[in-house]
Amino acid sequence: EDIKNFLEKQTIYYIDKNEYIKGLIYFSNKKEYFKKLAALSNYGLCFVLGNDEHPIYRGVGIKHKNVYDVHTKSLVIGDFVIIGLEGAPTDIKFGYILSHDDKTVKKHLDNMANKYKNKKMIVLSHAPPHNILDYAIRFGENHIGSKPLLEFIKEKKPLLVVCGHVHREGGKETLFENTLVTNVASHDDNISHGNMALIEIEENENYIKATHNGYEKKFGVLHTREWIFKENKIIIKDIL
């Protein structure tokens, strides 16, 4: 069993008759999803807490072997480093359980960039960058992404940002200043389709390929996009 097959069996989100949340997108001591996913991975499993997770849930994840809360401790794999950003931007109107103000986020990201300045950076963030795959409509139409994360992308040029938070933007990706931003959020309605992405990065940094299942439920196809970076141009290929 590989990761894709495992996820396809688990990514339905629903609430049972006792109003218990079921599915892969929640923390569970009994199901131990993190343990199973980590065992299927060559390098382990990275996670960050979302805006509705209490910090106590860090212990649920990191108790397992090869499971990493990359907001607390980054994961170095060869020439690459995966850094994390948990929660969502502070917004009193929404009353998030876990959020950080812009000053705190900027300090956190700057510390990581300075510590790993010789590494190729991958960012795992619950919230997307501000104004990139972050247009929300649930509590009013607004861009609810992280402004410090956007500035970090402009200044530090990470290879990849994987994010979520904004449900309607899940299953989409875009290229911003040569950084691939992929949003893999899923809706949280009953029997919602779970989104996931397969991303390939060549070590020479001249090629990135991302495949996501955002169109699978509606159109029955997977969408693959390839970016090939040349000296004076970027070639983008879309495959359905």
Side-chain angles (χ1 to χ4, degrees):
E1 182 178 46
D2 60 19
I3 292 177
K4 182 176 182 293
N5 289 333
F6 176 81
L7 290 174
E8 286 177 342
K9 294 176 182 177
Q10 308 295 335
T11 49
I12 296 298
Y13 177 100
Y14 68 96
I15 301 175
D16 68 14
K17 61 182 180 181
N18 297 315
E19 298 188 350
Y20 290 117
I21 296 174
K22 304 292 183 181
L24 184 63
I25 58 175
Y26 82 113
F27 286 89
S28 170
N29 278 311
K30 294 181 179 180
K31 294 291 186 180
E32 296 189 331
Y33 288 130
F34 280 16
K35 179 181 178 181
K36 295 176 182 178
L37 279 168
L40 293 171
S41 171
N42 290 331
Y43 299 103
L45 174 70
C46 298
F47 77 92
V48 292
L49 298 179
N51 56 279
D52 285 333
E53 272 87 51
H54 190 279
I56 194 173
Y57 283 116
R58 287 195 190 98
V60 176
I62 61 176
K63 72 175 184 176
H64 301 303
K65 181 180 179 181
N66 295 331
V67 177
Y68 307 96
D69 170 16
V70 288
H71 179 93
T72 302
K73 185 177 181 180
S74 301
L75 176 63
V76 176
I77 304 173
D79 293 333
F80 298 88
V81 61
I82 303 174
I83 65 176
L85 180 59
E86 66 184 13
T90 299
D91 192 319
I92 296 174
K93 177 176 65 175
F94 293 137
Y96 297 136
I97 295 173
L98 181 60
S99 64
H100 299 290
D101 60 60
D102 287 353
K103 183 178 179 180
T104 300
V105 171
K106 184 180 186 306
K107 182 178 179 180
H108 171 74
L109 292 173
D110 286 346
N111 287 342
M112 295 300 101
N114 291 332
K115 185 174 181 180
Y116 300 106
K117 58 185 177 182
N118 296 321
K119 297 292 184 181
K120 302 167 186 176
M121 288 183 290
I122 296 171
V123 180
L124 176 60
S125 173
H126 178 70
H130 184 71
N131 215 31
I132 300 175
L133 302 181
D134 76 330
Y135 189 67
I137 61 174
R138 175 172 289 185
F139 301 108
E141 299 183 23
N142 199 14
H143 291 279
I144 62 173
S146 170
K147 293 179 180 178
L149 179 56
L150 176 64
E151 294 306 311
F152 180 82
I153 295 172
K154 291 178 179 178
E155 295 174 11
K156 304 303 180 182
K157 313 296 184 186
L159 289 176
L160 170 68
V161 174
V162 179
C163 58
H165 188 45
V166 182
H167 301 232
R168 67 184 298 273
E169 299 281 18
K172 301 177 183 178
E173 78 280 322
T174 189
L175 194 68
F176 177 77
E177 297 192 4
N178 287 3
T179 293
L180 173 62
V181 181
T182 299
N183 191 315
V184 290
S186 301
H187 284 288
D188 56 2
D189 302 318
N190 258 8
I191 318 299
S192 290
H193 178 73
N195 288 320
M196 54 185 170
L198 174 64
I199 301 167
E200 299 177 25
I201 302 174
E202 288 193 357
E203 291 194 28
N204 61 15
E205 302 182 41
N206 292 326
Y207 174 85
I208 299 177
K209 181 171 76 173
T211 300
H212 68 79
N213 66 340
Y215 300 137
E216 189 172 26
K217 183 178 180 181
K218 187 173 182 180
F219 301 109
V221 296
L222 295 176
H223 176 218
T224 297
R225 179 171 290 169
E226 298 179 354
W227 291 265
I228 303 170
F229 301 94
K230 302 291 185 179
E231 185 175 348
N232 57 357
K233 63 182 177 180
I234 300 173
I235 301 173
I236 301 175
K237 296 182 178 179
D238 279 299
I239 305 169
L240 294 174

